[in-house]
Amino acid sequence: MPRERVLSGMRPTGRVHLGNYLGALDNWVRLQETHDCFFFVANWHALTTSSDVREVPRDTIEMIADWLGAGLDPQRSTMFVQSWVPEHAELHLLLSMITPVGWLERVPTYKEMIEQLGMESASYGFLGYPLLQSADILMYKAQWVPVGADQVPHIELTREVARRFNNIFGDVFTEPQALLTEIPKVPGTDGRKMSKSYGNAIYLSDPAEVVREKVRPMVTDPARRRRSDPGNPDICPVFDLHKIFTPPDGREWAAHGCRTASIGCLDCKAKLLEYLEPALAPIRERRQAFAEKPDMIIDILREGSARARRVAQATMEEVRQVVTITP
Ligand code: SF4
């Protein structure tokens, strides 16, 4: 039985932090054991919110070093660069002809991101980015797209577009399904959601001493001002990380010690580091070895893109046969 196909991508924003890792990459590494996986660098998507591309090439290398360090295996997963498979642009164009503008304006992230990014007027490309995502997915006839709950409307749009195309022109596309991923809450060092733009992230590439320096001053339960004040782990960002990395007995030690004020926050953070550091060290070592060989990373991406392109070309052959616009 051929394995079912999974497709996912990431914008090339540089080094991967714990939030990206636990929200996506860690799951990708598991999926490659059971599925035929295609993972891509969404570099055209990077242009939908910024035209400053100076860092994109370097950020791509850094990000792929992290993918490889985390355990993605180019022998098992096809890792490619979106713009090296130009068929995505052709399919996006064709899909844009049958997609009502209202469908795109309805995507919840459209208005949210305009507000978040303080955009005065969104570009045509930005409005269309969920449709470019649809083209990315449909091109590979992926059955599954691993997403968090907030991305489900994008998969719904893709399914609607696939149905509409199949109805108008003929059956070419598979309707993909959202592979819902439980995303743990990953707070940054200031207690807000971990994000590169907030400057509160712990990166997979951070050396051990940098991780320690970031964890030590990390925000805790604000009510626990003195060592003798009992705290509440349920509202503490450090404890959110314990929930991910610390085994149950250590977690229980921290929760009890916090509530009874029998431990200080520094003791609690030291316990977290006991488990965080061994989880990060092997990833960091592997990613460092790849980061030192950018040519090897480019070769991996070139090979993966050639493999992806063969699939994309076969799909576009089918598409061009049903969208008959040449004599
Ligand atoms: S003891 Fe631990 S869980 Fe409690 S407030 Fe301090 S860091 Fe947070």
Side-chain angles (χ1 to χ4, degrees):
M1 267 271 285
R3 289 177 163 199
E4 290 186 318
R5 186 166 287 166
V6 162
L7 178 123
S8 198
M10 253 186 224
R11 290 183 184 208
T13 51
R15 296 185 301 147
V16 171
H17 59 62
L18 267 185
N20 313 131
Y21 173 67
L22 295 161
L25 187 51
D26 183 37
N27 188 39
W28 293 4
V29 173
R30 282 193 299 272
L31 282 168
Q32 70 180 351
E33 304 295 332
T34 48
H35 290 74
D36 177 23
C37 292
F38 281 64
F39 299 123
F40 70 101
V41 178
N43 57 352
W44 276 331
H45 284 280
L47 286 168
T48 58
T49 47
S50 168
S51 51
D52 183 356
V53 295
R54 279 169 299 181
E55 304 296 326
V56 172
R58 205 186 57 202
D59 282 350
T60 300
I61 299 289
E62 292 287 341
M63 183 174 82
I64 299 297
D66 284 326
W67 287 14
L68 295 163
L72 279 191
D73 174 0
Q75 298 304 320
R76 281 184 291 172
S77 294
T78 302
M79 295 159 57
F80 68 97
V81 176
Q82 184 185 31
S83 67
W84 282 346
V85 186
E87 286 76 9
H88 286 232
E90 184 183 354
L91 184 57
H92 178 219
L93 176 108
L94 292 176
L95 297 180
S96 77
M97 302 299 177
I98 60 160
T99 305
V101 174
W103 288 10
L104 297 170
E105 286 169 335
R106 224 170 51 208
V107 173
T109 47
Y110 175 63
K111 287 206 174 71
E112 274 165 35
M113 280 179 75
I114 287 183
E115 276 168 30
Q116 246 177 41
L117 300 170
M119 286 177 164
E120 281 180 5
S121 73
S123 69
Y124 170 54
F126 178 70
L127 174 66
Y129 97 87
L131 191 63
L132 179 56
Q133 273 185 347
S134 300
D136 301 331
I137 297 164
L138 296 176
M139 183 69 87
Y140 299 93
K141 302 187 181 179
Q143 282 97 341
W144 298 104
V145 184
V147 286
D150 59 329
Q151 290 280 313
V152 170
H154 291 211
I155 309 303
E156 279 307 317
L157 172 76
T158 303
R159 291 168 62 84
E160 273 182 283
V161 170
R163 269 198 298 276
R164 194 171 173 107
F165 182 98
N166 290 347
N167 280 336
I168 297 173
F169 296 111
D171 253 340
V172 172
F173 294 118
T174 308
E175 282 184 44
Q177 296 185 59
L179 186 59
L180 267 182
T181 312
E182 275 286 331
I183 299 179
K185 189 174 167 202
V186 188
T189 49
D190 59 0
R192 291 185 291 174
K193 186 178 179 205
M194 190 175 285
S195 159
K196 187 176 186 173
S197 51
Y198 292 158
N200 65 0
I202 295 172
Y203 292 94
L204 297 184
S205 50
D206 280 343
E209 54 285 7
V210 172
V211 176
R212 271 200 300 280
E213 276 161 24
K214 287 182 175 178
V215 169
R216 215 176 290 128
M218 197 169 160
V219 165
T220 61
D221 171 2
R224 210 178 169 202
R225 258 177 256 128
R226 283 180 299 266
R227 168 77 166 71
S228 52
D229 295 334
N232 179 2
D234 296 334
I235 56 163
C236 175
V238 175
F239 199 73
D240 286 327
L241 294 182
H242 271 301
K243 286 185 202 154
I244 301 168
F245 293 100
T246 310
D249 53 340
R251 219 156 53 211
E252 184 45 38
W253 173 88
H256 180 261
C258 175
R259 289 200 172 95
T260 57
S262 59
I263 60 165
C265 289
L266 283 177
D267 306 320
C268 185
K269 290 169 178 173
K271 177 65 83 185
L272 171 66
L273 285 166
E274 270 177 42
Y275 296 100
L276 181 59
E277 173 52 18
L280 293 180
I283 299 177
R284 181 195 309 129
E285 275 164 34
R286 282 195 301 263
R287 74 87 61 197
Q288 198 48 38
F290 283 110
E292 283 162 13
K293 297 182 199 127
D295 291 349
M296 191 186 195
I297 289 181
I298 290 170
D299 284 347
I300 289 171
L301 290 174
R302 286 212 183 278
E303 264 176 48
S305 301
R307 206 187 306 161
R309 199 158 185 207
R310 285 195 288 278
V311 179
Q313 282 171 337
T315 302
M316 288 315 295
E317 279 294 308
E318 284 181 67
V319 168
R320 291 185 206 116
Q321 266 179 19
V322 295
V323 186
T324 41
I325 49 174
T326 47

